[in-house]
Amino acid sequence: MNYVIISEEFALSKKEYKIGISKFGFAITADGRFFCDVNSLKEFPEIFEGINYEIADLKEDDFIKYDDKINV
Amino acid sequence: MGYGQLLGVTGALSYIFINAQAKTYWNALTAANGSEVQGSVYGTTTNLLKKAIDDFFITGNTDGWLVKLLMMYPEIGATANTHAINAINPGTFNGTFVGSPTHNATGFLVNGTTQYMECNNMPSTDGYSNTDFAAGGLVTGVTVGASDLQLAGSAGSATSRDQISRILTTGYWRTDLFNNTTARISTLDATNDKVMIATKPASGSAILYLDGSSIGSHAINSGTLPSFETYLGAANSIGTAVQHINGTIKFYFRGYGLTAVRVTSLTNAIKNLQIALGR
């Protein structure tokens, strides 16, 4: 599935970006890349203006795996 | 048959709600996006759509579970604005969608990686009790992957968990209440499109129901409800969304005081609502 690969700095700076009831969201791949859904490009076009990003086809193996307990 | 029901069947005039709470929810839906909240979206008439919502609330009143629910997201409508509405008390605990989920008339589709809904409530303080609470939901299209998947919940420590519903990589449904070392309560294969309800009654063990039938129970260890807001579509682990589920979420609620009889009634009401919505 295609996702938008973004920089760590961009992701963290937009962590609380919100319009109405919609909030920007991202996650981190197992190898440390930050990414968001392609829908975010349409929902929050203003924050992507002038920002370098790339579209990548991420697979199940790219995502962080959790065991059956949340580590808290 | 009530006057409103008669009008609903004829379709000649606008359906008149019998249940005031149902009417409030309907008004919130239409205020959020009137163009999508109509019968044609669901292959029916708007009057019958109203009646289906009214019937749901009427059943809840009659069978005593409606007053026990603190928040409920029936996911009626086709946009974030309508899906965010807490039908129990519109405007309070309305959701916030994170990561741009896809919305349609079936519910909201989350991708299993970045998307979920913040419920904007805090289990530890927002009307919940450590000794009596319940939650449940309905999701479809889930693909069990290499990680655990959380329908909803939050966790603050090893003994402060409220991950009410969960799918393991093996396909088991489970609940994590307070301490997850004793929480796996069913080996029943997780099947999509089943109403799953977990209860922690005021006394006795926690029980997990699937489509109204108890499929397991476990004793509750001492603990507290988390001071981290509930996420829907993932779990909130000390402020971070983890173990995102994939699939379309059609319904979610939280409350308390759900006896087995009330669970059966609520389950049937949720299923009947889905039938009326053609989904």
Side-chain angles (χ1 to χ4, degrees), chain B:
Chain B
M1 179 181 291
Y3 179 63
Q5 289 171 302
L6 179 62
L7 291 177
V9 171
T10 64
L13 297 170
S14 182
Y15 181 88
I16 298 172
F17 280 94
I18 296 170
N19 182 281
Q21 219 171 339
K23 183 179 180 182
T24 298
Y25 175 48
W26 177 262
N27 288 342
L29 285 171
T30 54
N33 194 336
S35 62
E36 80 193 43
V37 186
Q38 53 186 306
S40 59
V41 172
Y42 296 99
T44 184
T45 67
T46 298
N47 278 339
L48 287 176
L49 175 60
K50 289 179 177 178
K51 182 180 183 302
I53 295 171
D54 206 15
D55 285 346
F56 180 89
F57 280 82
I58 290 168
T59 300
N61 253 347
T62 303
D63 292 348
W65 48 258
L66 187 61
V67 73
K68 304 294 186 184
L69 305 187
L70 300 167
M71 49 197 273
M72 175 174 76
Y73 307 98
E75 310 303 357
I76 293 174
T79 63
N81 285 334
T82 50
H83 288 164
I85 295 172
N86 169 19
I88 295 298
N89 188 7
T92 301
F93 302 148
N94 277 11
T96 299
F97 290 99
V98 181
S100 310
T102 300
H103 299 269
N104 57 44
T106 303
F108 72 95
L109 171 66
V110 286
N111 60 7
T113 52
T114 60
Q115 301 170 337
Y116 60 97
M117 188 182 90
E118 296 175 348
C119 295
N120 292 307
N121 79 342
M122 197 70 74
S124 60
T125 56
D126 288 333
Y128 302 110
S129 156
N130 279 349
T131 56
D132 183 2
F133 58 97
L138 179 61
V139 60
T140 190
V142 175
T143 302
V144 177
S147 300
D148 296 349
L149 306 173
Q150 302 275 347
L151 176 58
S154 62
S157 74
T159 57
S160 181
R161 299 172 185 274
D162 183 19
Q163 301 147 222
I164 298 295
S165 313
R166 189 174 191 182
I167 302 173
L168 292 177
T169 54
T170 49
Y172 301 162
W173 288 108
R174 65 184 271 175
T175 59
D176 290 297
L177 307 177
F178 300 156
N179 185 336
N180 74 352
T181 57
T182 61
R184 190 175 301 177
I185 64 176
S186 174
T187 57
L188 194 69
D189 184 39
T191 306
N192 289 315
D193 244 340
K194 300 229 177 206
V195 176
M196 185 167 47
I197 296 177
T199 66
K200 162 58 187 85
S203 63
S205 299
I207 305 170
L208 183 62
Y209 298 87
L210 200 62
D211 264 355
S213 299
S214 169
I215 58 171
S217 64
H218 69 86
I220 288 291
N221 292 342
S222 61
T224 58
L225 287 168
S227 296
F228 294 90
E229 70 168 302
T230 305
Y231 290 168
L232 176 56
N236 181 355
S237 178
I238 326 177
T240 299
V242 299
Q243 300 182 347
H244 303 66
I245 203 169
N246 57 76
T248 300
I249 296 171
K250 296 175 164 183
F251 199 101
Y252 180 71
F253 75 89
R254 291 186 58 95
Y256 65 101
L258 293 189
T259 62
V261 172
R262 287 175 182 149
V263 166
T264 299
S265 172
L266 174 56
T267 297
N268 291 335
I270 292 171
K271 292 169 76 77
N272 287 339
L273 182 61
Q274 305 312 309
I275 292 169
L277 296 173
R279 64 187 197 185

Side-chain angles (χ1 to χ4, degrees), chain A residues 21 23 37 43 67-68 70, chain B residues 97 100 111 148 166 237:
Chain A
I21 59 166
K23 204 172 182 181
D37 193 88
E43 189 161 23
D67 63 19
D68 70 352
I70 292 178
Chain B
F97 290 99
S100 310
N111 60 7
D148 296 349
R166 189 174 191 182
S237 178

